[in-house]
Structures are given as C-alpha cells and as structure tokens.
Amino acid sequence: MSGECRLYLVTGNKHKLEEAGAILEPYGIKLEQAPVTEKLEIQSESLVDIALYAARDAYRRIRLPLIVDDSGLFIEALKGFPGPYSSYVYKKIGYTGILKLMEGVENRRACFKTVAVLIHPPIEKVFIGETCGVISDTPRGMGGFGFDPIFIPDGHTMTYAEMPFEEKNKVSHRYKAFSQLGEWVRKSRIKCL
Ligand code: ITT
C-alpha cells in the first residue's frame, strides 16, 4: 500500500463512522461514509453472515472499496440476546428495556462483538473484535451511543459512555476489529483510491 487509502463505510450510524474513522487514521486510511447508508440486513444468528451479505449487496450497488460493520451485545444470562438483533432491540426497548430484563439477575456477564467486512475485489476479508465485561445496574455516562451507558468493559470501572472517546476507542470491540483491518491493509498491496 502506498500513500493514503480511501475506504467507504456503509452505515447510517454516524458514531460508528467517527469511531472506525479514528481507529483507521493511524494506518493511513481515510474512512468516508458510503453513498449508500442502508444495509440489507438478513435474519441470521451469525454476525459474520449478516455482515458478509450486507457488504456483498452494497458492493453490487456502489462498486467502491467498502467496509460493513455489524455489531451486537451478547448477554450471557439472556442466552446471547440481543446479539444479532441489537439494532432492532435498541430501537424498540433501548438500554432501559435491557436493564429491566436484567433486574434481579446476578450473572451480568456480556460481550460486545464487531464484525468488519472489507470488500475490495477480488479481496473479501472478515475481521472480528470482541470486548467482554458486565452490564451495569444503572445507566451511567453521556458519551458514545447505543448500549454504551450500561456496558462496563473488563478491567475498568467506567461504562463505555463514561469513557472519553479516545479511551473507548482503545479497548472497544470496534477497535479490535478495525485495528486488525488497518494492519492488514497496511501490509497488503491493495490499490487504494
Ligand atoms: P448500521 O447498520 O447502519 O451500520 P446500526 O446502528 O443499525 O447501524 P448494527 O446493525 O451493527 O448498527 O446494530 C448494532 C446495534 O448495537 C446498534 O444499533 C447499537 O445500538 C448497538 N451498538 C453497536 N455498536 C455499539 C457500541 O460500540 N456501543 C454501544 N452500542 C453499540
């Protein structure tokens, strides 16, 4: 790879774009919002399948080197719920709904996962990041987005939403997936726009 590399993120979520963009910057990658923001979301238990399907569909439509980020919160006591349904569940019941489901539940273990799929034909690569921790008893913090106010990553006392942007971006599931992606692009010989 030489010079700057421009890649497109297919998302309607500006927080994802900000976080992933900041993670990829040190790798010489400029992340831009793709000209399509709607992802085709199939129903599946697998984030990898959901992300791959959405990425292939988006590529057919825009024909630009792109990334799809599909993420989810997997709560052990709820058998992995909301997992692949996180987006829908967040819109319907939000984190307060999740806290209600967790009332009186002692096991508060949970993991956030990000699957980032890069499509740059003929290349198709999948990068996975996971950060585990616990669900807090009450929502805390104003930063971040989604379920951030109720997730405390292992080794920390703050929720993601209490952490400064840079700190969440050093420990998060998204950081783990996108830093692998950045590393891979840096080492590869893909041609960039
Ligand atoms: P796009 O599909 O347009 O990219 P989305 O927000 O719908 O945006 P997902 O399908 O990946 O994204 O849904 C995952 C949901 O999980 C999302 O709506 C958030 O509520 C939540 N989520 C994902 N990443 C998160 C993070 O870093 N912190 C907190 N919540 C997150």
Side-chain angles (χ1 to χ4, degrees):
M1 194 195 99
S2 61
E4 197 177 67
C5 189
R6 191 178 315 145
L7 294 172
Y8 292 89
L9 186 68
V10 182
T11 184
N13 183 329
K14 67 173 173 42
H15 300 282
K16 276 187 181 179
L17 184 68
E18 270 169 26
E19 289 186 5
I23 297 162
L24 292 178
E25 208 183 281
Y27 297 96
I29 298 169
K30 191 165 171 1
L31 193 65
E32 292 186 8
Q33 189 165 32
V36 292
T37 55
E38 279 285 304
K39 287 171 11 191
L40 180 68
E41 296 236 2
I42 56 158
Q43 244 188 32
S44 164
E45 291 284 306
S46 152
L47 287 188
V48 172
D49 287 351
I50 296 170
L52 264 174
Y53 206 91
R56 287 172 185 158
D57 171 72
Y59 188 81
R60 274 194 291 274
R61 288 187 281 150
I62 65 171
R63 305 259 158 206
L64 290 168
L66 61 82
I67 303 170
V68 159
D69 162 331
D70 209 71
S71 301
L73 176 64
F74 295 74
I75 302 176
E76 204 172 276
L78 304 180
K79 299 191 166 67
F81 185 83
Y85 312 109
S86 293
S87 184
Y88 181 75
V89 169
Y90 183 75
K91 279 181 208 139
K92 292 291 177 193
I93 62 171
Y95 59 74
T96 47
I98 294 291
L99 285 183
K100 269 226 159 67
L101 292 174
M102 293 295 286
E103 258 169 28
V105 177
E106 218 165 279
N107 174 11
R108 306 194 71 85
R109 294 292 303 161
C111 296
F112 254 121
K113 279 184 205 165
T114 288
V115 172
V117 171
L118 168 69
I119 299 207
H120 195 331
I123 288 150
E124 198 174 84
K125 294 279 296 175
V126 177
F127 303 90
I128 299 174
E130 181 177 77
T131 295
C132 295
V134 292
I135 301 296
S136 60
D137 293 320
T138 52
R140 298 193 326 241
M142 305 292 283
F145 69 101
F147 298 107
D148 280 353
I150 63 165
F151 182 76
I152 305 168
D154 285 340
H156 294 262
T157 51
M158 286 189 279
T159 64
Y160 268 170
E162 289 177 306
M163 294 178 164
F165 177 83
E166 299 74 22
E167 200 170 333
K168 177 188 170 190
N169 245 3
K170 270 188 223 153
V171 298
S172 78
H173 47 300
R174 185 158 294 102
Y175 166 73
K176 290 172 186 165
F178 278 83
S179 55
Q180 287 177 63
L181 189 154
E183 202 56 62
W184 184 87
V185 169
R186 180 151 69 188
K187 287 192 184 136
S188 76
R189 292 173 178 274
I190 64 171
K191 267 222 182 96
C192 288
L193 293 178

